């Protein structure tokens, strides 16, 4: 198939200084939790993007020197020449598929606690380090020697980047993560020398570093500047007028502008808090101030929106991080007229959580993300089946859908049985909750693909019992039957059931998702889950007019959502909506109209009135079918059943991303000889240098 001519404009080449991008699809730098620890895995991940048609594929931030490093985060490094081979491998992998390789050089400035190097952090002024973890470390105000050091180190990093083969080198002044941005605003720049005070002075260091980079690069590489054009940092942040001033002052200096927002949590807002294209208003009026090509992001997955963006003159290149993670083949699918095959990002930021937990990137929609080299998975392909075995998959939630899809793609004959009328399991239910509607894309993409696959037969309204499964007689039975929320208070604080009076009005998330509602009086929502569910349900109830108190043993609501960059936004929304937040307390016992709380610090008890209690605690695997089948194992051989395997939430409840991953893993591993004791993926080990013990 050929692409729709409406999208031709997206495939026009774009000149970026001395290099030419083959089309307008531009994978902007994004973190991935692999960095210097997993360089080959990282190169393979970037290579797949290039294979998928992106014209420019960039690295994440690359530390230029140990004087500004961000341990514990795992990013790339170009500290000295020894780091060149690792990053060169990325450039080479990207070039192999005809894309340009970009690299984002970074001095982390006030964002560098230097836990690893133990060098004294530096900033424009003497101020505390501004990391997410508020490290008890301050930066010293840079003197002229420091500024000279910074410029020289940045220059050397440019030289190393070019030596490593990169075509595009970023000067990074964005997301409130780099020193050049810290110099720009009065918020952090309190200097009285020629680098502080007026905007022109505050821009000086950025200008000098761009000039250095241009000079160093010559015609060997283009120089890009990434700038925050909307700041949400608090007092002293760059005003809009100042942003426009910066762009005007430096307009023609870089070869490309990449505009984004600061901090990172504003640039990578989840779909719960921002629509596709939410950044557009900040892009308006900037491209006119430069003749250089402009890149901007907005979680765009729709080619129509991309075309509009170009036609309206907001950008020249469509920047994407998350859409390229969820579907590395997005450009190729548009090019080949396969729009409906685009696996759209759901805006959940599970990808970001990889970086925050220092673990390799993962994606709810694309189970192969981060596993391209480790496990040899590909976002579009899988090796053919090794046997004619038929497979029965029970349950069409994210795990079952993914499993059936990839087994079908391997060529297996698959039957997918779902108890409900609609497919989707938990994503179907959860996507009806406030702010989560985009999550249905997990179901929609898979259902759409499965509809085209004769290998997979789907039976709806088919709740299977052990007898049905045995009668069916597939060689492999996959139980993707999901989980149920507990109603006994067990989770993290309580690992044993709490006393609950029979007359107490208890509701679980499943009850609320099934349409049940509290009866009368104030509602107490107890969140010992700490991810999104507690906050989302509090929002649901308060919007419906209930008086809601959210009680949690944590010191903030939805505390794990720090890893998805949402925690502040969630807490702000709940406060705005009038939810009472009670932190540092656990529910100890529940009576008919009253709840006993316990302070997690002092153990002191208190009582609160509550007509209903919503327990957002742990979940239990739906494993009855598994147990029933295990009890009848003697019958398996006669029925032709070889294996029965629970996957996803039915094995151990976790995130939707875990369930999708479990589905893919089963499909990948079916028929493979597995050594249960071997490390099940490839990894790289540090190079050992000679050592003489004293
Ligand atoms: P996961 O996240 O692991 O994919 P879900 O809870 O989203 O799990 O999905 C489980 C699905 O399995 C639900 O759609 C549920 O209706 C279905 N299901 C559970 N038990 C059975 C059964 N015995 N037969 C058929 N479908 C089942
Ligand atoms: Fe999008 Fe979620 Fe995948 Fe990140 S993890 S790319 S937000 S679908």
């Amino acid at each position: 198939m050929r692409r729709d001519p409406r999208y031709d404009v997206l495939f026009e080449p774009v000149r970026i200084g001395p290099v030419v991008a083959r089309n307008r699809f531009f994978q902007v730098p994004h973190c991935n939790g692999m960095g210097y620890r997993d360089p080959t895995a990282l190169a393979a991940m970037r290579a797949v993007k290039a294979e998928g048609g992106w014209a420019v594929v960039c690295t994440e931030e690359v530390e230029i020197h140990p004087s500004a490093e961000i341990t514990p985060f795992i990013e790339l490094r170009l500290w000295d020449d020894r780091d060149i081979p690792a990053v060169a491998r990325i450039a080479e992998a990207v070039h192999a598929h005809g894309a340009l390789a970009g690299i984002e050089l970074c001095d982390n400035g006030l964002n560098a606690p230097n836990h690893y190097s133990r060098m004294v952090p530096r900033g424009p002024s003497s101020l505390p380090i501004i990391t997410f973890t508020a490290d008890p470390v301050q930066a010293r105000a840079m003197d002229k020697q420091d500024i000279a050091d910074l410029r020289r180190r940045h220059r050397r990093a440019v030289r190393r980047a070019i030596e490593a083969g990169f075509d595009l080198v970023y000067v990074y002044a964005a997301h409130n993560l780099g020193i050049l941005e810290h110099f720009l605003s009065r918020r952090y720049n309190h200097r009285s020398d020629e680098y502080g005070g007026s905007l022109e002075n505050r821009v000086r260091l950025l200008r000098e570093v761009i000039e250095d980079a241009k000079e160093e690069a010559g015609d060997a590489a283009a120089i890009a500047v990434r700038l925050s054009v909307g700041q949400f940092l608090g007092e002293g942040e760059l005003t809009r007028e100042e942003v426009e001033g910066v762009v005007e002052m430096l307009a023609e200096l870089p070869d490309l502008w990449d505009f984004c927002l600061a901090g990172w949590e504003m640039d990578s807002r989840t779909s719960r808090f921002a629509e596709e294209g939410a950044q557009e208003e900040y892009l308006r009026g900037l491209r006119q101030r430069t003749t250089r090509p402009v890149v901007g992001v907005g979680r765009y997955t729709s080619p129509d929106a991309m075309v509009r963006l170009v036609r309206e003159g907001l950008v020249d290149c469509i920047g994407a991080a998350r859409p390229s993670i969820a579907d590395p083949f997005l450009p190729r699918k548009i090019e080949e007229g396969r729009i409906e095959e685009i696996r759209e990002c759901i805006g959940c930021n599970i990808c970001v959580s990889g970086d925050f937990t220092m673990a390799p990137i993962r994606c709810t929609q694309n189970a192969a993300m981060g596993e391209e080299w480790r496990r040899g998975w590909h976002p579009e392909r899988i090796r053919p089946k090794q046997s004619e075995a038929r497979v029965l998959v029970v349950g069409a939630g994210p795990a079952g859908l993914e499993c059936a899809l990839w087994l079908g793609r391997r060529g297996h004959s698959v039957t997918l049985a779902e108890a409900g009328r609609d497919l989707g399991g938990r994503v179907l239910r959860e996507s009806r909750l406030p702010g989560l509607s985009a999550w249905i894309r997990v179901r929609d993409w898979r259902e759409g693909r499965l509809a085209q696959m004769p290998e997979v037969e789907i039976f709806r309204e088919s709740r299977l019992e052990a007898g049905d499964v045995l009668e069916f007689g597939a060689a492999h039975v996959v139980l993707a039957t999901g989980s149920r929320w507990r109603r006994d208070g067990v989770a993290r604080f309580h690992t044993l059931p709490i006393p609950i009076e029979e007359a107490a009005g208890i509701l679980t998330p499943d009850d609320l998702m099934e349409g049940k509602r509290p009866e009368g009086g104030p509602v107490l929502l107890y969140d010992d889950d700490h991810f999104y569910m507690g906050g989302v349900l509090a929002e649901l109830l308060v919007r419906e007019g209930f008086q809601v108190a959210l009680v949690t043993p944590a010191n903030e609501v939805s505390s794990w959502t720090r890893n998805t960059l949402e925690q502040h936004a969630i807490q702000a929304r709940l406060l705005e909506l009038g939810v009472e937040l009670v932190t540092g307390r656990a529910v100890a016992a529940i009576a008919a109209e009253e709840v006993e709380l316990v302070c997690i610090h002092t153990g002191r008890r208190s009582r609160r009135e509550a007509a209903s209690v919503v327990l957002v605690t742990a979940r239990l695997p739906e494993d009855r079918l598994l147990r029933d089948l295990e009890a009848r194992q003697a019958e398996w051989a006669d029925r032709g059943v070889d294996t029965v395997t629970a996957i996803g939430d039915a094995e151990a409840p976790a995130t939707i991303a875990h369930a999708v991953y479990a589905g893919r893993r089963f499909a990948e591993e079916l028929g493979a000889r597995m050594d249960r004791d071997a490390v099940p993926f490839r990894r790289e080990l540090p190079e050992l240098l000679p050592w003489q013990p004293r």
Side-chain angles (χ1 to χ4, degrees):
M1 274 196 288
R2 282 290 302 155
R3 68 169 180 253
D4 187 321
R6 275 184 303 165
Y7 305 138
D8 284 353
V9 65
L10 300 176
F11 292 88
E12 290 168 357
V14 180
R15 169 159 289 284
I16 308 172
V19 296
V20 177
R22 61 185 167 186
N23 59 42
R24 297 185 189 270
F25 294 92
F26 192 115
Q27 183 244 276
V28 294
H30 69 75
C31 295
N32 52 77
M34 298 200 280
Y36 65 83
R37 187 191 53 206
D38 301 304
T40 301
L42 179 46
M45 182 268 278
R46 301 292 186 200
V48 164
K49 311 260 197 112
E51 185 193 352
W54 299 86
V56 182
V57 177
C58 298
T59 65
E60 65 273 35
E61 73 151 78
V62 180
E63 295 169 357
I64 61 171
H65 194 261
S67 54
E69 55 89 13
I70 56 165
T71 305
F73 287 94
I74 298 176
E75 312 298 328
L76 279 167
R77 292 171 174 168
L78 260 184
W79 290 359
D80 64 20
D81 288 353
R82 293 175 65 211
D83 291 313
I84 293 176
V87 295
R89 179 162 285 194
I90 299 172
E92 195 185 329
V94 167
H95 288 157
H97 294 282
L100 297 176
I103 184 166
E104 184 181 68
L105 302 181
C106 180
D107 178 302
N108 288 284
L110 286 172
N111 198 46
N114 291 349
H115 292 313
Y116 182 86
S117 70
R118 302 194 67 173
M119 296 174 81
V120 175
R122 298 150 303 122
S125 317
S126 173
L127 278 171
I129 289 301
I130 53 171
T131 43
F132 295 107
T133 39
D135 298 289
V137 177
Q138 287 208 188
R140 73 156 191 271
M142 288 167 77
D143 59 20
K144 293 291 158 48
Q145 181 62 50
D146 291 321
I147 288 177
D149 288 347
L150 169 67
R151 288 182 58 184
R152 195 180 56 257
R153 289 165 188 168
H154 200 281
R155 220 179 224 280
R156 288 188 173 171
V158 173
R159 196 181 314 151
R160 290 185 179 114
I162 291 168
E163 199 180 317
F166 286 89
D167 312 286
L168 181 73
V169 180
Y170 265 80
V171 172
Y172 188 40
H175 298 136
N176 202 28
L177 297 179
I179 189 113
L180 301 175
E181 185 176 16
H182 301 149
F183 264 82
L184 285 182
S185 72
R186 293 182 195 276
R187 180 168 178 78
Y188 302 115
N189 185 339
H190 309 157
R191 304 175 74 92
S192 52
D193 62 2
E194 69 270 33
Y195 290 94
S198 67
L199 184 63
E200 202 167 355
N201 280 356
R202 282 178 275 136
V203 169
R204 190 176 310 279
L205 183 61
L206 176 58
R207 177 196 292 282
E208 288 173 349
V209 169
I210 303 171
E211 283 168 350
D212 293 342
K214 286 288 296 173
E215 197 179 289
E216 197 64 43
D219 280 342
I223 299 300
V225 172
R226 206 174 196 193
L227 180 76
S228 301
V229 296
Q231 290 198 331
F232 301 85
L233 305 173
E235 56 192 4
E237 66 190 10
L238 275 184
T239 63
R240 181 66 189 180
E241 212 182 344
E242 288 179 317
V243 164
E244 290 172 0
V246 176
V247 177
E248 244 156 48
M249 278 183 223
L250 305 177
E252 303 303 314
L253 207 47
D255 297 307
L256 175 129
W257 283 100
D258 177 344
F259 294 137
C260 55
L261 305 180
W264 181 16
E265 62 283 358
M266 283 305 289
D267 208 33
S268 293
R269 275 180 291 175
T270 58
S271 55
R272 187 170 165 190
F273 292 97
E275 297 285 316
E276 176 173 317
Q279 283 95 322
E280 268 178 50
E281 57 177 301
Y282 302 96
L283 293 177
R284 281 189 200 284
L286 294 181
R287 186 168 164 273
Q288 292 72 2
R289 295 170 198 266
T290 172
T291 63
R292 303 306 195 200
V294 166
V295 182
V297 294
R299 221 174 60 242
Y300 295 103
T301 53
S302 144
D304 294 300
M306 297 175 193
V307 168
R308 181 182 53 73
L309 213 60
V310 175
R311 295 245 184 264
E312 285 183 12
L314 288 181
V315 298
D316 298 278
C317 298
I318 308 296
R322 291 172 291 177
S324 77
I325 294 168
D327 197 340
F329 273 57
L330 185 146
R332 282 259 296 258
K333 288 175 182 175
I334 299 173
E335 166 99 83
E336 294 167 7
R338 299 187 287 134
I339 304 295
E340 69 291 344
E341 290 183 37
I342 295 173
R343 197 169 37 227
E344 292 181 290
C345 167
I346 70 167
C348 63
N349 278 4
I350 284 293
C351 46
V352 174
S353 79
D355 193 51
F356 266 78
T357 54
M358 294 91 206
I361 189 168
R362 67 267 342 263
C363 168
T364 301
Q365 278 284 57
N366 173 16
M369 180 47 53
E371 304 293 353
E372 300 84 354
W373 180 77
R374 290 208 314 167
R375 291 185 185 259
W377 295 2
H378 190 277
E380 299 297 309
R381 295 189 295 272
I382 189 165
R383 70 187 191 292
K385 64 184 175 186
Q386 288 160 287
S387 76
E388 293 305 315
R390 280 195 311 146
V391 187
L392 171 65
V393 179
V394 185
L401 287 169
E402 180 81 352
C403 189
L405 177 82
W406 289 96
L407 285 170
R409 285 190 169 178
R410 288 190 69 183
H412 282 284
S413 162
V414 183
T415 303
L416 175 61
E418 164 55 46
R421 189 162 29 117
D422 297 315
L423 309 184
R426 63 182 288 192
V427 289
L428 176 65
R429 293 197 301 274
E430 293 181 21
S431 63
R432 294 175 180 143
L433 296 173
L436 305 188
S437 60
W439 292 18
I440 199 62
R441 291 172 170 185
V442 173
R443 192 271 315 263
D444 289 349
W445 182 77
R446 288 164 181 81
E447 187 172 356
R449 299 305 86 229
L450 285 166
Q452 313 294 319
M453 292 172 60
E455 301 85 354
V456 183
E457 200 174 3
I458 302 177
F459 291 92
R460 296 157 192 264
E461 296 182 276
S462 304
R463 178 173 293 282
L464 302 191
E465 301 295 337
D468 306 316
V469 171
L470 291 173
E471 201 173 309
F472 189 80
H476 302 287
V477 178
V478 181
L479 301 178
T481 46
S483 62
R484 301 290 292 173
W485 290 88
R486 296 182 75 127
R487 49 177 79 240
D488 58 3
V490 170
R492 290 181 166 81
F493 188 82
H494 298 291
T495 54
L496 299 172
I498 59 174
I500 300 178
E501 262 182 25
E502 215 160 289
I506 302 290
L507 291 164
T508 68
D510 292 317
D511 295 330
L512 292 176
M513 287 189 278
E514 279 156 22
K516 292 198 191 112
R517 288 295 178 264
E519 279 168 22
V523 180
L524 186 147
L525 186 146
Y526 177 50
D527 184 1
D528 197 15
D529 169 60
H530 309 287
F531 196 14
Y532 56 88
M533 187 56 84
V536 166
L537 292 179
E539 186 177 339
L540 171 88
L541 292 172
V542 77
R543 283 189 192 281
E544 288 183 6
F546 292 95
Q547 184 192 330
V548 183
L550 189 156
V551 175
T552 177
N555 287 321
E556 58 192 12
V557 300
S558 301
S559 56
W560 200 82
T561 61
R562 279 185 168 261
N563 297 307
T564 54
L565 299 171
E566 292 173 290
Q567 199 283 325
H568 289 295
I570 294 172
Q571 190 134 353
R573 180 172 284 180
L574 295 184
L575 287 169
E576 291 297 337
L577 287 170
V579 176
E580 184 191 351
L581 306 182
V582 182
T583 56
R585 302 274 196 292
V587 167
I590 306 173
E593 292 292 334
E594 196 180 70
V595 171
E596 189 180 26
L597 301 183
V598 55
C599 169
I600 65 150
H601 305 292
T602 63
R604 269 190 219 124
R605 306 253 163 172
S606 57
R607 291 179 178 280
R608 276 188 77 100
E609 186 199 348
S612 301
V613 177
V614 178
L615 290 176
V616 185
T617 50
R619 285 176 284 157
L620 282 170
E622 274 293 4
D623 57 2
R624 190 176 57 83
L625 188 49
L626 175 68
R627 302 288 156 238
D628 290 351
L629 284 165
E630 281 171 347
R632 296 174 66 174
Q633 194 156 2
E635 298 171 48
W636 291 11
D638 283 351
R639 303 288 190 166
V641 175
D642 190 9
T643 65
V644 175
T645 313
I647 66 166
D649 290 329
E651 183 186 16
T655 61
I656 296 167
H658 277 83
V660 172
Y661 186 82
R664 175 78 189 244
R665 190 159 70 86
F666 183 89
E668 287 278 350
E669 292 178 356
L670 183 62
R673 204 167 295 142
M674 305 293 292
D675 174 350
R676 290 183 72 86
D677 297 331
V679 177
F681 45 78
R682 289 198 282 184
R683 68 199 168 115
E684 284 172 318
L685 297 172
E687 170 203 7
L688 294 185
L689 295 179
W691 174 51
Q692 295 297 324
R694 289 195 190 174

